[in-house]
């Protein structure tokens, strides 16, 4: 977990979507929300299984396994390759191999989703506090943010191994709100998966969803977010209207 000194600025709500009125903090997921990291994850998974003498999955298969952190990704890959749950010793070995392969090339094929940098820049300029809450291991967060020149937008970033719990548990979100001294009712969770929505609701955050990420093949609408966005730029004034989800 990395954090920076808090800088409090007046928020200019006149340039923001109405759902952000009265909000002071926005927490963003990373994989599937800001970046499409599956191509690099798929390569690392394939190299891991190949090193273990196991069949390699397609990128499309890996896409449905992402979202619960690296240990679960590796477990799902092994279960697919073995057609049975892996032994703990094999899972640990595979995880160690995966971390080496992914750590060697975490941003070769990974791309930033359209509108992400524009939206983060505008939200930061309007005075909102931005934090990053991901289930990705913490060691990979800062290099990826630096690579895409996003580091300066975030006050705090929390990885899946930074605290005792990770999403869908609300602890990372509540920790961020407490650290930034902002009540959960004035916070927003933006993500692409049911785990983001569950964590946001449990923490008392407003939940905003993006449909283009990784949600295990399920429509994100099934998680009943407060709002579905097609792009982060919809949070800015005069952007196309998003689709409200009721229920």
């Amino acid at each position: 977990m990395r954090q920076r000194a808090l800088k409090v600025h007046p928020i200019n709500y006149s340039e923001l979507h109405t759902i952000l009125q009265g909000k002071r903090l926005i927490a963003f997921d990373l994989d599937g929300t800001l970046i499409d990291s599956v191509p690099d994850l798929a390569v690392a998974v394939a190299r891991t299984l190949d090193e273990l003498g196991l069949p390699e999955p397609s990128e499309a298969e890996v896409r449905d396994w992402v979202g619960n952190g690296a240990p679960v990704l590796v477990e799902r890959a092994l279960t697919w390759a073995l057609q049975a749950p892996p032994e703990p010793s094999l899972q640990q070995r595979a995880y160690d191999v995966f971390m080496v392969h992914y750590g060697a090339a975490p941003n070769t094929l990974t791309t930033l989703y359209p509108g992400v940098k524009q939206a983060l820049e505008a939200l930061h300029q309007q005075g909102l506090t931005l934090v990053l809450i991901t289930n990705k291991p913490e060691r990979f967060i800062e290099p990826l943010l630096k690579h895409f020149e996003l580091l300066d937008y975030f006050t705090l970033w929390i990885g899946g191994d930074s605290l005792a719990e990770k999403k869908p548990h609300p602890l990372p979100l509540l920790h961020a709100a407490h650290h930034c001294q902002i009540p959960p009712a004035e916070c927003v969770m933006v993500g692409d998966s049911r785990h983001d929505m569950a964590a946001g609701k449990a923490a008392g955050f407003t939940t905003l969803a993006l449909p283009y990420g990784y949600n295990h093949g399920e429509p994100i609408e099934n998680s009943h977010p407060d709002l579905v966005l097609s792009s982060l730029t919809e949070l800015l004034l005069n952007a196309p209207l998003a689709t409200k989800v009721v229920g």
Side-chain angles (χ1 to χ4, degrees):
M1 179 172 53
R2 298 293 180 88
Q3 57 195 40
R4 297 178 171 189
L6 291 174
K7 295 180 180 180
V8 180
H9 302 287
I11 300 174
N12 179 12
Y13 291 109
S14 66
E15 299 296 326
L16 302 175
H17 191 287
T18 54
I19 201 165
L20 296 181
Q21 297 301 307
K23 306 301 182 184
R24 296 164 55 200
L25 180 148
I26 304 181
F28 291 92
D29 175 52
L30 181 59
D31 300 74
T33 298
L34 304 183
I35 61 173
D36 183 6
S37 55
V38 162
D40 282 317
L41 290 169
V43 169
V45 167
R47 289 176 176 169
T48 297
L49 294 181
D50 180 64
E51 188 169 325
L52 297 174
L54 296 171
E56 301 176 20
S58 67
E59 182 178 306
E61 286 165 323
V62 174
R63 191 169 291 273
D64 283 341
W65 301 337
V66 174
N68 294 93
V72 176
L73 170 61
V74 171
E75 180 183 10
R76 288 170 175 160
L78 287 172
T79 300
W80 171 87
L82 298 168
Q83 295 297 296
E87 293 292 329
S89 59
L90 177 59
Q91 183 169 335
Q92 184 60 54
R93 180 185 171 199
Y95 176 77
D96 293 341
V97 172
F98 170 81
M99 292 292 278
V100 171
H101 284 303
Y102 186 60
N107 53 36
T108 302
L109 302 173
T110 295
T111 57
L112 204 61
Y113 284 113
V116 165
K117 194 162 188 178
Q118 174 190 352
L120 293 178
E121 172 68 24
L123 295 168
H124 180 71
Q125 288 296 324
Q126 301 310 321
L128 286 156
T129 297
L130 308 184
V131 302
L132 188 75
I133 302 177
T134 173
N135 284 344
K136 182 184 288 294
E138 183 182 316
R139 60 180 280 197
F140 299 123
I141 299 173
E142 189 167 342
L144 282 164
L145 293 180
K146 284 183 177 178
H147 176 76
F148 290 108
E149 300 180 338
L150 304 179
L151 194 65
D152 291 341
Y153 300 134
F154 294 102
T155 297
L156 171 73
W157 48 97
I158 299 173
D161 52 358
S162 298
L163 300 170
E165 301 284 354
K166 60 179 181 288
K167 299 177 296 183
H169 198 282
L171 176 63
L173 283 68
L174 293 173
H175 178 91
H178 177 74
H179 168 75
C180 296
Q181 302 175 38
I182 297 174
E186 297 176 18
C187 299
V188 176
M189 179 70 220
V190 180
D192 64 297
S193 78
R194 63 177 185 256
H195 311 296
D196 298 314
M197 300 303 103
K201 290 176 182 295
F205 284 32
T206 294
T207 53
L208 307 184
L210 294 158
Y212 52 65
Y214 322 137
N215 194 33
H216 314 291
E218 300 175 9
I220 193 61
E221 290 84 354
N222 292 355
S223 297
H224 306 293
D226 294 302
L227 196 68
V228 177
L229 308 166
S230 62
S231 166
L232 287 182
T233 56
E234 291 184 16
L235 293 176
L236 311 178
L237 191 65
N238 298 322
L241 293 177
T243 304
K244 186 168 181 58
V245 176
V246 179

